[in-house]
Amino acid sequence: MLSVAGKALRVSGCLKNARSMATVVSGNKTSKLVRERLQKEVCKMQELEPGFRPGLVVLQVGDRSDSNLYISMKLKAAAEIGIDARHIRLPNTASEDEVLHNIQSINEDARVHGLIVQLPLDSIRPIDSGRVTDAVSPHKDVDGLSSINAGKLSRGDLKNCFIPCTPNGCMELISQTGVSVAGKHAVVVGRSKIVGAPMHDLLLWNHATVTTCHSQTSNLAEQVGRADILVVGAGKPEMVRGEWVKEGAVVIDCGINYVADETKPGGTRVVGDVHYPTANQRASFITPVPGGVGPMTVAMLMKNTVQSAWRFLQSQR
């Protein structure tokens, strides 16, 4: 935590070199609070409808080890909250039609309130991932990746769509800092459909002025230096240097990268897209990697599933 003297320096603007390092915004701690809140919501559902449980299905194609790890994390979180989660794995020989048939079957199952298709699709046959994600019912698309949910988000219809989990988790972490998004200049580095593009929309509709940077941005350091709130999801290890960061900025690092490190047992260590050792000397708040955005992504998936279950219950009353 920042010392009282450090806070006073920030307010006065004096003795800039004497300021404390950034306050770490823990995704582990925040996600735990979210899971505890969701657990209570599930209990309320069961008081209203005895025996009811939110239902989640994770559909996987193939047997990638990294996908298996992510799925196990999701199933564990669901079990803790009281969500009935099922894992359906199709072989790596599955065709696009087989995947679409499974999705249609799950769409029609009233016991399932959330469906996620684990990406990438690990099949030896060609499968259009866009067609697959768009086949998921928008009412069960708790990953928020379908064109319908993306379109609603882009036009500001936040209360009638599912927000992609990583950007939603980023907003939760920003809220933990106590810094208001409204009126701030936010910079998003990266424009992926999963992180960068929806992050831009989410910040915009929460009243920030938003700049999106990408691989064709020619003056990246200059753009980053303007950010009161900086969200980085570029997929390049430690690309954003600390000296680029505006003094006092909120820095949210969505990156997960493995770099060589002979001092570690496995020969690698995990770093983000921001150079943490230098950025934390200029930022006011910063997320660590690991233990920052990652746990929040899973927590927001659970939040969307519980939200979908509430919508289902309300539609039945």
Side-chain angles (χ1 to χ4, degrees):
M1 295 294 292
L2 294 168
S3 65
V4 173
K7 291 179 179 178
L9 287 172
R10 181 173 299 157
V11 172
S12 67
C14 299
L15 300 176
K16 291 182 180 179
N17 292 333
R19 58 164 294 155
S20 302
M21 290 192 297
T23 298
V24 176
V25 188
S26 171
N28 288 328
K29 292 180 181 178
T30 306
S31 64
K32 184 174 184 292
L33 294 174
V34 172
R35 292 197 305 272
E36 289 172 352
R37 185 172 72 236
L38 294 176
Q39 193 175 41
K40 292 177 182 178
E41 288 195 40
V42 172
C43 289
K44 288 181 183 178
M45 288 181 186
Q46 294 172 339
E47 290 175 4
L48 293 171
E49 193 72 34
F52 178 83
R53 293 179 69 189
L56 173 67
V57 170
V58 182
L59 179 63
Q60 180 185 16
V61 178
D63 193 27
R64 285 175 60 114
S65 58
D66 56 348
S67 292
N68 292 337
L69 174 62
Y70 297 144
I71 290 169
S72 68
M73 293 167 60
K74 293 167 185 175
L75 297 178
K76 180 181 178 182
E80 290 176 358
I81 292 166
I83 294 171
D84 181 20
R86 288 188 289 138
H87 176 201
I88 298 175
R89 180 189 283 125
L90 302 180
N92 69 349
T93 55
S95 67
E96 184 175 294
D97 284 345
E98 288 177 277
V99 176
L100 294 174
H101 175 77
N102 275 268
I103 289 173
Q104 185 60 36
S105 177
I106 298 166
N107 283 343
E108 296 171 357
D109 188 342
R111 299 168 299 174
V112 178
H113 311 104
L115 166 59
I116 65 171
V117 178
Q118 186 67 40
L119 300 175
L121 300 167
D122 182 28
S123 177
I124 61 174
R125 301 188 183 188
I127 299 179
D128 184 340
S129 60
R131 188 180 179 199
V132 166
T133 53
D134 275 346
V136 176
S137 166
H139 303 293
K140 299 187 179 187
D141 173 32
V142 289
D143 255 343
L145 298 181
S146 69
S147 295
I148 290 177
N149 278 314
K152 288 181 177 180
L153 174 59
S154 70
R155 70 183 186 187
D157 194 4
L158 305 186
K159 294 184 179 180
N160 194 32
C161 71
F162 289 114
I163 298 169
C165 301
T166 297
N168 209 5
C170 291
M171 293 299 294
E172 188 78 24
L173 290 170
I174 293 169
S175 73
Q176 289 295 312
T177 70
V179 174
S180 173
V181 171
K184 298 298 190 299
H185 185 183
V187 173
V188 179
V189 181
R191 54 179 172 180
S192 72
K193 295 178 182 179
I194 296 175
V195 180
M199 190 75 236
H200 171 280
D201 294 338
L202 201 49
L203 287 163
L204 179 67
W205 293 111
N206 279 277
H207 313 300
T209 300
V210 190
T211 300
T212 297
C213 300
H214 45 75
S215 59
Q216 301 300 309
T217 300
S218 58
N219 54 344
L220 182 60
E222 181 182 339
Q223 296 294 341
V224 167
R226 296 172 178 166
D228 302 309
I229 298 171
L230 175 64
V231 182
V232 186
K236 295 183 178 181
E238 299 181 326
M239 179 186 71
V240 173
R241 311 303 296 176
E243 57 267 26
W244 299 359
V245 175
K246 181 180 180 180
E247 185 124 355
V250 175
V251 178
I252 307 295
D253 189 348
C254 303
I256 301 177
N257 309 284
Y258 294 88
V259 297
D261 188 339
E262 294 180 357
T263 67
K264 300 297 182 182
T268 62
R269 61 187 171 90
V270 179
V271 300
D273 291 352
V274 177
H275 188 256
Y276 185 91
T278 53
N280 78 341
Q281 296 181 42
R282 293 182 61 81
S284 59
F285 297 92
I286 191 168
T287 57
V289 178
V293 173
M296 293 303 299
T297 298
V298 176
M300 293 300 104
L301 172 63
M302 300 302 122
K303 179 181 178 181
N304 281 351
T305 303
V306 171
Q307 180 183 350
S308 181
W310 273 121
R311 290 174 179 173
F312 173 78
L313 283 179
Q314 289 166 358
S315 71
Q316 302 301 302
R317 298 177 74 84

